[in-house]
């Protein structure tokens, strides 16, 4: 693999064992892999972080788990986030993760550039009929306005998550499966343009 081969990271804004969002992120990894795109799935449950607190930060700095996750992001050029919807918004887990990572400083005191130098794509899923789409209206400005990230305008939602998958773990709705594949391919191309 050359240094400018796109590498995609897939993760979800839920750490729940039976999370629909993790299932979507894992499907994304499988689709990427099946289409010759290097991909990794990461579980935020493996990167536990305390709730952000300025006093905690002053005392200890960002947790090691935030540094590890930032390092993982750094070895990928495109990042897909599958977000659940909590009360029409972002989950505390996802916001807390992004907040801690945004506080990481380089050795010379500069803010991490990990958000500004990757391309992001968003998807949501929920047992409800809207597929958690309203969460993305909250996730997008956090990334774009708050963190200066480039986020693809295309986004993807899987409604009725509990009945959306066939026995092979693919989306029953073939149009949805194709849309997800197209989004992943677009993310890989955009990552390549930015890093190629
Ligand atoms: C606090 C809370 C708020 C929720 N609010 C919404 C909501 O606004 N819209 C929605 O479609 N689902 C809502 N849900 C249901 C979640 O979409 C559902 O629990 C989903 O499975 C969570 O994502 P996960 O499966 O990836 O953990 C909410 C769930 C919780 C726990």
């Amino acid at each position: 693999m050359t240094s400018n081969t796109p590498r995609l990271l897939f993760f979800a804004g839920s750490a729940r064992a039976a999370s629909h969002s993790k299932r979507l992120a894992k499907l994304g990894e499988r689709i990427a892999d099946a289409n010759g795109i290097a991909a990794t799935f990461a579980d935020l449950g493996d990167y536990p972080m305390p709730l952000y607190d300025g006093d905690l930060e002053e005392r200890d700095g960002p947790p090691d788990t935030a540094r590890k996750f930032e390092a993982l992001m750094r070895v990928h050029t495109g990042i897909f986030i599958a977000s659940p919807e909590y009360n029409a918004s972002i989950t505390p887990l996802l916001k807390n993760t992004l907040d801690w990572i945004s506080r990481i400083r380089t050795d010379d005191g500069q803010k991490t550039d990990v958000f500004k130098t990757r391309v992001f794509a968003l998807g949501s899923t929920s047992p409800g009929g809207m597929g958690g789409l309203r969460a993305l209206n909250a996730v997008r400005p956090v990334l774009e306005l708050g963190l200066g990230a480039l986020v693809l305008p295309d986004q993807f939602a899987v409604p009725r998550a509990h009945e959306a998958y066939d026995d092979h773990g693919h989306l029953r709705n073939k149009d949805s499966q194709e849309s997800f594949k197209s989004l992943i391919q677009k993310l890989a191309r955009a990552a390549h343009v930015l890093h190629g």
Side-chain angles (χ1 to χ4, degrees):
M1 192 185 307
T2 61
S3 61
N4 58 9
T5 301
R7 290 178 58 91
L8 304 187
L9 176 65
F10 294 82
F11 73 95
S14 170
R16 208 167 65 86
S19 162
H20 296 299
S21 313
K22 286 205 294 197
R23 189 174 195 182
L24 184 65
K26 281 180 192 163
L27 174 61
E29 182 210 22
R30 279 175 60 197
I31 292 173
D33 196 47
N35 286 276
I37 300 163
T40 309
F41 167 79
D43 187 337
L44 286 185
D46 294 331
Y47 300 83
M49 300 173 201
L51 187 62
Y52 177 82
D53 175 321
D55 292 339
L56 199 59
E57 181 189 20
E58 207 169 301
R59 198 185 68 206
D60 300 332
D64 284 349
T65 43
R67 295 186 186 284
K68 279 188 187 139
F69 201 76
E70 193 245 18
L72 183 68
M73 291 170 75
R74 206 165 271 293
V75 296
H76 295 81
T77 50
I79 299 176
F80 176 84
I81 303 176
S83 176
E85 177 177 311
Y86 279 8
N87 297 317
S89 192
I90 190 170
T91 61
L93 174 67
L94 180 55
K95 183 66 165 54
N96 193 51
T97 300
L98 297 174
D99 286 345
W100 268 123
I101 293 172
S102 75
R103 305 298 292 173
I104 291 174
R105 297 288 181 273
T106 59
D107 290 344
D108 55 359
Q110 302 297 308
K111 274 186 171 182
T112 174
D113 66 355
V114 76
F115 294 105
K116 292 184 174 164
T117 53
R118 323 284 107 185
V119 187
F120 290 79
L122 303 177
S124 66
T125 184
S126 122
M130 291 176 66
L133 203 52
R134 293 177 305 176
L136 302 186
N137 293 337
V139 177
R140 184 175 288 279
V142 171
L143 285 164
E144 289 180 341
L145 303 178
L147 301 168
L150 176 62
V151 186
L152 294 185
D154 316 57
Q155 52 189 31
F156 181 71
V158 178
R160 313 206 64 76
H162 51 293
E163 55 193 38
Y165 297 85
D166 66 19
D167 293 342
H168 303 289
H170 296 129
L171 293 167
R172 285 184 202 281
N173 183 316
K174 297 295 163 225
D175 290 343
S176 291
Q177 179 81 16
E178 276 306 304
S179 298
F180 196 18
K181 181 175 147 188
S182 297
L183 177 59
I184 290 164
Q185 288 174 323
K186 195 179 256 192
L187 179 61
R189 281 199 301 275
H192 183 66
V193 168
L194 198 71
H195 287 269

